[in-house]
Amino acid sequence: METMIKKARAGDPLRVIDDIRMSPTYTRDAADLIRTVIAEQRPYGVYHVTNTGQCSWYEFAAAIFRLMGLKVDLSPISSTEFAQKAKRPSNSALMSSKLNGLSVRPWEEALGAYLKEKGHLS
């Protein structure tokens, strides 16, 4: 995220993948949820700790710039147009079904909180 902001502020045109879906997650929220899972002694197992919702990398970048009020030359591209060393699944969004009963905020709200904490928003 910080790299995208830096490039946007430099006026660099940005081409961002729009055909891979993911679950953006604020590390502060993840840490708080993990702490709660441990404190409540929830059942042993795999927990997908993410903010709610999903988006593409392009949608994520667009949300960053929209919240910051940045005008950016942003274009969506296909993952086949972007050289990657590792093959990525087209949908890596995670479901947090084991967190039932715990409040998890949407990724858009968490993004705003992150940007405020880092001083990108007032």
Side-chain angles (χ1 to χ4, degrees):
M1 186 167 7
E2 296 297 328
T3 299
M4 296 295 272
I5 293 168
K6 183 178 176 181
K7 289 180 176 242
R9 286 186 169 152
D12 295 344
L14 297 169
R15 300 174 66 214
V16 181
I17 295 172
D18 194 33
D19 61 352
I20 293 180
R21 311 245 357 126
M22 51 111 172
S23 303
T25 304
Y26 186 18
T27 53
R28 181 173 304 280
D29 290 352
D32 289 344
L33 284 165
I34 291 167
R35 190 176 306 114
T36 300
V37 167
I38 293 167
E40 292 181 359
Q41 297 181 342
R42 294 224 170 189
Y44 177 79
V46 175
Y47 286 78
H48 294 172
V49 179
T50 67
N51 289 105
T52 61
Q54 59 179 274
C55 62
S56 71
W57 287 99
Y58 172 81
E59 292 166 332
F60 186 59
I64 294 166
F65 304 139
R66 183 176 60 253
L67 286 172
M68 292 182 65
L70 293 175
K71 300 291 183 209
V72 179
D73 181 4
L74 178 64
S75 303
I77 61 168
S78 163
S79 56
T80 60
E81 298 175 67
F82 188 76
Q84 299 179 72
K85 291 182 181 181
K87 184 163 173 64
R88 309 273 184 217
S90 62
N91 187 352
S92 61
L94 300 173
M95 297 204 39
S96 301
S97 57
K98 286 188 94 168
L99 296 175
N100 54 341
L102 293 179
S103 178
V104 184
R105 64 181 164 176
W107 69 264
E108 298 95 335
E109 186 180 321
L111 173 60
Y114 171 86
L115 292 171
K116 282 181 186 173
E117 182 179 320
K118 291 297 184 176
H120 296 300
L121 298 178
S122 50

